[in-house]
Amino acid sequence: MSEQHSRPTLALIAEEAGVSQATVSKVLNGRTDVAPATRERVEGLLKSHNYLAPGGRRARRSGLIDLVIGGLDSPWAIEILRGVESECADRGVGAVVSLVRDEDARPPSWTSLPALHHSDGVILVTSRMTHKQREQLERAGVALVVIDPVNLPDSDIASVGATNWAGGLAATEHLLSLGHRRIAVIGGPREMLCSQARIDGYRAALERAGIEIDRRLIRYGDFRHEGAFRQSQDLLDLDDPPTAIFAGSDQQAMGTYEAARQAGLRVPQDLSVVGFDDLPMCDWLSPPLTTVRQPLEEMGRTAARTLFQLLDGQSLVSTRVELATELRIRHSTAAPPRD
């Protein structure tokens, strides 16, 4: 096969430049420990061959990545951002934060941001990925990692999440162990993978315990306290209300706390509440919130680390990484009232 019809390799570039593959890799990664003349020769060959590193990356690195997130109005997002920024700082890479919403159709599309910023890659947080958006990034030679994707991404897209099913199972089994049998759940948006996985874990725990699932006790929200407040009010107004509510996020648990207060119920004496996330505020709620911890900061770090692996041309052990969740028992759960 002729060079004109084959994809140039790192070995080919190194051979033509008269240097080692390690030297070419250093030039690709923007390392400074390469002689100026050697760097110029290698860069010229990379340009003449229109070289794209594995994954469609550009030959030159800008030292900048885009973090595209649906909003910074929740502590959850701040923890993710903290992890991404920490990993970037350790590597001397800058991060540009862009706030978008899936329903926001105003131009420019977030897929145009990497070109505007001349960034090397994108970390996309809790957003829906379409094939068209994927193709736009590939044509631009931009690497991509997704945190908690709304929909199931293509198998070759790197994604980072938590063991949401196991977390939902652990939260519900904890309430069952205390004696609760009327347990409600308030998830996030119905279409989100992480939300559905938590509810599936809830279902599995009830099924294991031989408890019939009451569909009236399964509700969906938006991971925010306002929606959970309204859903909790509806649940507590049932003729046979739940004695415990598993909220799909700590913010939703806050809404449940307020609904209980307005109904004249005490947490946990009259109503047990479990959250999900383990945000810093959990210790400061009254009572402190029992919740499922997902390592949000480490999720951000892992996403950034994975993106740098892609940019360095390294092979990923798996395109899907799920970090372990852990139940943190505090004071918002107790045995159900006897009556």
Side-chain angles (χ1 to χ4, degrees), residues 7 28 51-59 310-311 313:
R7 186 175 182 272
L28 280 169
Y51 179 81
L52 287 177
R57 295 183 293 107
R58 293 185 292 264
L310 292 173
L311 292 172

Side-chain angles (χ1 to χ4, degrees), residues 12-13 67 78 119 136 138 206 214 220 225 265 294 297 320 323:
L12 174 64
I13 301 295
L67 174 64
I78 298 298
S119 57
Q136 286 177 310
E138 285 185 340
L206 293 182
D214 185 344
Y220 293 90
H225 61 274
L265 301 177
Q294 58 172 338
E297 184 173 346
R320 175 64 178 171
L323 303 183

